Amino acid sequence: MNKDARVFVAGHGGLVGSALVRRLRLGGYSNIVTRSRKELELTHQAAVEAFFKLEKIEQVYLAAAKVGGIHANDTYPADFIRDNLQIQSNVIDSGHRHRVKKLLFLGSSCIYPQLAPQPISEDCLLTGPLEPTNEWYAIAKIAGLKMCQAYRRQYGFNAISIMPTNLYGPGDNFDLQTSHVLPALIRKCHEAKQRGDEEVVVWGTGTPHREFLHVDDLADACVFLMERYESADPVNVGWGKDIAIRELAEIVRETVGFTGRLTFDRSKPDGVPRKLLDTSRLRSQGWAPRISLRQGIAATYEWYLKSQQALPA
Ligand SMILES: NC(=O)c1ccc[n+]([C@@H]2O[C@H](COP(=O)([O-])OP(=O)(O)OC[C@H]3O[C@@H](n4cnc5c(N)ncnc54)[C@H](OP(=O)(O)O)[C@@H]3O)[C@@H](O)[C@H]2O)c1
């Protein structure tokens, strides 16, 4: 792979995009192109078209999307389906028109049916109803994957799709209104420790199992696949093992040093009982993750503390 290639990381300010930029720089890529949302609104088709026409991009990592947890998906269904359909359609179509050599589309494990057999293989796609809480987002992501397959089939466009499990790491979203479970737990435990609270309330029963992958491992897998994977078939990217939310909360409690107790609010939704990706397709290509959950949570908490210090008083 040519390390001088002009590589566009769409969504470089986000959790995944920033990890991709770190990983690409580390890997010797010297021509990374980024645009903030202010500079390039990806839902605006004409702006995206003009960007690709001018910039002569050779590779695209499509990590820009409207992303959020159960609450955000449930509250803003129209925004989730519209923004994601627009962003991905604009970038994939303009990328193809302006001769991008390869594009990597980031989907999500929520594209799979709610009751898919575990671990979930890529072949489960479209075999049953989706989890209703985030179906808007999931439908958009399925359309993105299908668009990559259609453009490969009709135009020979070299677009690949990956489906990551739940991600976490430096740059995560710690806003309790829109965040995912892991950063929300870190923030709740940290603030409870600071206030001297006796308990932290965790949403749901604590029994569902989820899989978590550090975003630096994800970025490594993306670059690995961009450099050698050439197929229309999507690739799951995960850690390979899941953990009960109760156990996860316990690791966070220990890492943060919160000495109070964890209680579980059973009135809040649990989501699906288990969600673990079958990562055999990726592993058969020769890639495996490296960052353990404990190491990753400790590094994420360290980043959270630093980012708090950086905020104006
Ligand atoms: N986080 C996860 O657990 C997870 C799991 C599976 C898959 N994924 C996938 O990974 C990708 C990236 O997710 P992430 O967690 O990195 O999300 P994120 O932290 O919210 O980052 C998304 C990025 O996209 C940009 N963006 C959003 N709307 C835009 C628009 N209309 N125009 C231009 N830029 C826009 C955002 O810019 P602003 O901040 O300026 O809006 C931000 O930089 C998504 O496709 C997501 O589906 C994420």
Side-chain angles (χ1 to χ4, degrees):
M1 188 65 57
N2 174 12
K3 300 280 171 97
D4 297 325
R6 279 178 75 67
V7 181
F8 176 42
V9 179
H12 74 286
L15 175 65
V16 171
S18 56
L20 278 167
V21 171
R22 283 196 296 277
R23 171 61 182 80
L24 286 165
R25 288 204 178 118
L26 208 67
Y29 285 84
S30 56
N31 215 343
I32 303 167
V33 179
T34 58
R35 289 289 182 278
S36 69
R37 190 170 181 170
K38 236 178 165 178
E39 292 165 324
L40 179 59
E41 171 54 63
L42 293 171
T43 59
H44 290 177
Q45 195 255 338
V48 174
E49 180 69 12
F51 167 80
F52 276 98
K53 188 172 180 191
L54 187 72
E55 292 297 335
K56 311 277 180 267
I57 299 296
E58 293 168 79
Q59 289 175 24
V60 176
Y61 290 87
L62 181 38
K66 183 165 182 64
V67 177
I70 295 177
H71 178 70
N73 268 269
D74 215 28
T75 317
Y76 307 108
D79 296 1
F80 272 85
I81 194 161
R82 182 201 55 226
D83 285 12
N84 286 312
L85 284 172
Q86 287 179 336
I87 292 170
Q88 66 207 30
S89 299
N90 292 342
V91 173
I92 294 168
D93 188 58
S94 289
H96 150 65
R97 283 176 193 284
H98 295 286
R99 299 199 167 78
V100 162
K101 294 198 178 102
K102 194 159 183 181
L103 179 146
L104 181 145
F105 172 69
L106 274 131
S108 164
S109 57
C110 70
I111 63 163
Y112 295 118
Q114 181 174 27
L115 299 175
Q118 307 284 326
I120 310 170
S121 117
E122 291 88 348
D123 299 334
C124 289
L125 183 65
L126 297 174
T127 56
L130 299 165
E131 153 88 56
T133 47
N134 59 13
E135 63 179 334
W136 323 101
Y137 174 77
I139 292 279
K141 289 289 175 189
I142 292 170
L145 179 168
K146 287 288 164 193
M147 205 167 155
C148 289
Q149 291 179 335
Y151 272 57
R152 175 181 289 277
R153 185 158 151 188
Q154 187 177 337
Y155 302 124
F157 184 43
N158 195 357
I160 61 173
S161 299
I162 67 149
M163 303 301 133
T165 189
N166 300 300
L167 304 171
Y168 71 98
D172 218 333
N173 170 17
F174 287 87
D175 174 349
L176 293 179
Q177 289 303 311
T178 51
S179 58
H180 290 124
V181 56
L182 187 37
L185 283 173
I186 291 177
R187 178 164 174 182
K188 282 185 181 178
C189 285
H190 173 74
E191 290 180 352
K193 179 175 97 171
Q194 282 191 316
R195 287 193 299 261
D197 291 354
E198 284 175 5
E199 72 167 11
V200 159
V201 179
V202 182
W203 272 34
T205 61
T207 55
H209 281 62
R210 292 289 181 274
E211 181 186 20
F212 297 91
L213 182 73
H214 193 280
V215 71
D216 286 341
D217 270 337
L218 183 268
D220 191 61
C222 288
V223 176
F224 176 90
L225 291 167
M226 181 66 108
E227 288 178 349
R228 45 179 79 65
Y229 186 72
E230 307 279 346
S231 166
D233 297 332
V235 183
N236 287 342
V237 184
W239 173 253
K241 276 189 204 147
D242 56 6
I243 181 172
I245 296 298
R246 187 178 289 273
E247 256 181 275
L248 177 78
E250 196 49 50
I251 296 177
V252 171
R253 194 180 69 79
E254 285 168 22
T255 306
V256 169
F258 168 60
T259 52
R261 63 181 179 278
L262 300 170
T263 53
F264 292 84
D265 178 357
R266 291 165 177 272
S267 70
K268 294 289 193 290
D270 261 347
V272 290
R274 193 176 173 211
K275 210 160 143 188
L276 175 66
L277 290 180
D278 177 345
T279 50
S280 42
R281 183 172 289 168
L282 176 58
R283 284 175 188 261
S284 73
Q285 300 283 320
W287 186 88
R290 279 179 274 211
I291 304 167
S292 75
L293 196 53
R294 275 186 190 275
Q295 281 171 340
I297 290 175
T300 306
Y301 183 48
E302 212 172 289
W303 181 89
Y304 173 70
L305 290 177
K306 280 197 194 125
S307 71
Q308 290 298 102
Q309 284 159 9
L311 290 175

